[in-house]
Amino acid sequence: MKYKILTLFPDMIEQGLSSSIIGKAREKNLINIETINIRDFAFNKHKQVDDYPYGGGAGMVMQPEPIYEACKSIMEDEQNKPRVIYLTPQGKTFNQEMAMELSQEEELVFLCGHYEGVDERVIDMVVTDEVSIGDYVLTGGELAVMVMIDAISRLIPNVLSNDTSAETETFDDNLLEYPQYTRPAVFMDKKVPDVLLSGHHKNIENWRREQSLVRTYNKRPDLLDKANLSDKDKKFLETLINKQ
Ligand code: 6GU
């Protein structure tokens, strides 16, 4: 997977995506992250990339030319035109399903806006997808693109080691994860659940499934409608409902 990020703050992206699992994935060339500084494509000698909004109003608007030229510079040797994702609170809300879909692409281009917005004409010309990471407003798209690249990259083969597999995790089947414990077996008088020390794999698996169901029922009941539930799961959930 190749990510290309058009931004006014490449350092922010570099710093955010060079540690831990994503940093290792880059070292192993499982993913490639390239930042393109939009300011390098400023067309006047002051390297200005924004200007006052036509019609008045607060703040500054990013001008179309530098963004268009920055985009052109990375598209020149492309046969397959990659998707160009504009990070904006007006976009479609990012979720695990979108992360899975995007992880199938070979290349993704991200456009990070700043200030009060981006001139609408260049959005119309280069952007294929508009994505938001949630219903709140950020100062720019940089944090949002880091969130997206993290979520997408961990789905790419070999980015997670076998013992941190993405398979049985939250949202994969619309259930929350079961609780985890490690040593010591007793911490400040609090014991790890006996079943986990029993070595009985079938019982452990059973208990974990029930815990996932309990948690989802208590914390995110909205997810249960979309979850893939067995008859056994449904029976167990009924016992929870009857307890209330
Ligand atoms: Cl993708 N960008 C900005 N600027 N703010 C946001 C967002 C994106 N998602 C939520 N808020």
Side-chain angles (χ1 to χ4, degrees), residues 137-159:
V137 182
L138 302 171
T139 56
E142 283 76 14
L143 282 167
V145 81
M146 289 191 253
V147 167
M148 286 184 70
I149 288 178
D150 189 289
I152 295 166
S153 298
R154 62 185 288 291
L155 300 174
I156 290 169
N158 303 318
V159 167

Side-chain angles (χ1 to χ4, degrees), residues 87-89 131-134 136-138 140 144:
L87 289 312
T88 166
V131 178
S132 163
I133 63 162
Y136 40 80
V137 182
L138 302 171

Side-chain angles (χ1 to χ4, degrees), residues 178-180 193-212:
Y178 50 78
Q180 297 275 23
D194 284 333
V195 61
L196 298 178
L197 309 175
S198 71
H200 193 302
H201 294 296
K202 191 78 205 147
N203 288 354
I204 291 171
E205 198 185 309
N206 232 329
W207 181 85
R208 285 181 164 168
R209 182 72 183 179
E210 290 182 359
Q211 289 297 310
S212 280

Side-chain angles (χ1 to χ4, degrees), residues 214 217-218 224 232-244:
V214 173
Y217 178 73
N218 287 331
L224 285 173
K232 194 174 163 194
D233 292 335
K234 286 177 192 158
K235 272 216 182 95
F236 179 73
L237 280 170
E238 272 168 34
T239 67
L240 291 182
I241 297 163
N242 292 335
K243 264 185 213 158
Q244 290 198 326

Side-chain angles (χ1 to χ4, degrees), residues 116-128:
E116 297 307 305
V118 173
D119 186 290
E120 194 69 20
R121 292 166 295 182
V122 73
I123 297 173
D124 292 342
M125 288 165 83
V126 305
V127 169
T128 62

